[in-house]
Amino acid sequence: MSTTEQRVAIVTGAARGIGAATAVRLAEEGRAVAVLDLDEAACKETVEKITAAGGKALAVGCDVSDEAQVEAAVARVVEELGAPTILVNNAGVLRDNLLFKMSASDWDTVMNVHLRGAFLMSKAVQKHMVDAKFGRIVNLSSSSALGNRGQVNYAAAKAGLQGFTKTLAKELGKFGVTANAVAPGFIVTEMTKATADRVGMGFEEFQAAAATQIPVQRVGRPEDIANAIAFFTGEAAGFVSGQVMYVAGGPLN
Ligand code: NAP
């Protein structure tokens, strides 16, 4: 493929939040974007935002933890947009609880969406990247990978994604495919709103409290993460692979 042809990107969990901002940003970078989420109808808003700005996008309903759905979704993207060579594994869920209260099902749900989902999506897409001798995979880790009270499942999954990313970088590098992870700190989305609800704080108050702990003294926005993902998926980032970039308004200890 010549670099002047439009590359096809898949962004999972792109109906809202970080995934939606990333889909919009990648479309601004000239990519055709598959906006993938659990509910195809929920992807409509992101798709319309992209097409209204003159971009190309497709809504795809898929549970990333279901192998048959992932294979069908990728086949549909190939048919309707073209072979995907950019993949952003962003779909995520929380099932927070302290260890002694966490159910095995809450553990499994988080592992299945984050780890199994990233594995299934990467496996289904990699052959198109290898054929094209070009690929960019970005996995969404988190500052919680360093450990976070009440998130033993999520922290393990997000740390696991860092090992997954480095291994993809080693296996796929010779095919022109890079793999990197972006690890956000506090970003204003439905996910952090759900955490505020869980701890019984108003969302504004929760954000203000978080901002005081962040060196740049503000909370993050989805676009802050989309910017980092745009860098890693760029044509010029081919020598950057296996890295974890914390995007958290400062260093984390
Ligand atoms: P969000 O607003 O909750 O959006 C996540 C999206 O993923 C939702 O649209 C959700 O769909 C979708 N999704 C959930 N399970 C799925 C599945 N099995 N298959 C396909 N899609 C699925 O979350 P966000 O804050 O934008 O987070 C995006 C990513 O960044 C996640 O991986 C998250 O862990 C990570 N992250 C976020 C923060 C933060 O502060 N927000 C910090 C660090 C890392 P439904 O609505 O239908 O469930």
Side-chain angles (χ1 to χ4, degrees), residues 128-144:
H128 301 291
M129 297 179 169
V130 170
D131 287 349
K133 298 186 176 56
F134 175 94
R136 299 281 185 262
I137 299 174
V138 179
N139 299 310
L140 269 289
S141 180
S142 167
S143 54
S144 294

Side-chain angles (χ1 to χ4, degrees), residues 177-199:
V177 179
T178 67
N180 291 284
V182 173
F186 188 117
I187 309 298
V188 177
T189 68
E190 291 297 319
M191 189 175 269
T192 37
K193 182 172 181 309
T195 305
D197 292 345
R198 184 175 60 83
V199 299

Side-chain angles (χ1 to χ4, degrees), residues 63-204:
D63 177 348
V64 296
S65 67
D66 182 303
E67 189 170 15
Q69 287 190 38
V70 165
E71 282 171 8
V74 172
R76 202 180 141 208
V77 172
V78 172
E79 198 174 307
E80 297 190 36
L81 286 182
T85 54
I86 297 169
L87 171 65
V88 182
N89 285 311
N90 166 83
V93 288
L94 294 179
R95 293 289 184 275
D96 294 354
N97 225 327
L98 293 174
L99 174 65
F100 79 104
K101 288 194 280 189
M102 186 177 288
S103 67
S105 135
D106 284 346
W107 173 270
D108 290 344
T109 299
V110 167
M111 292 301 152
N112 284 342
V113 177
H114 295 270
L115 281 176
R116 183 179 158 87
F119 160 69
L120 292 175
M121 287 299 306
S122 302
K123 192 175 172 198
V125 165
Q126 60 85 30
K127 60 179 177 296
H128 301 291
M129 297 179 169
V130 170
D131 287 349
K133 298 186 176 56
F134 175 94
R136 299 281 185 262
I137 299 174
V138 179
N139 299 310
L140 269 289
S141 180
S142 167
S143 54
S144 294
L146 301 170
N148 198 25
R149 187 178 158 80
Q151 291 196 316
V152 73
N153 49 1
Y154 185 79
K158 292 308 200 184
L161 280 168
Q162 296 189 9
F164 177 72
T165 301
K166 290 176 192 195
T167 304
L168 289 183
K170 289 188 178 187
E171 287 190 14
L172 299 175
K174 65 181 172 196
F175 303 109
V177 179
T178 67
N180 291 284
V182 173
F186 188 117
I187 309 298
V188 177
T189 68
E190 291 297 319
M191 189 175 269
T192 37
K193 182 172 181 309
T195 305
D197 292 345
R198 184 175 60 83
V199 299
M201 273 172 92
F203 196 29
E204 294 297 326

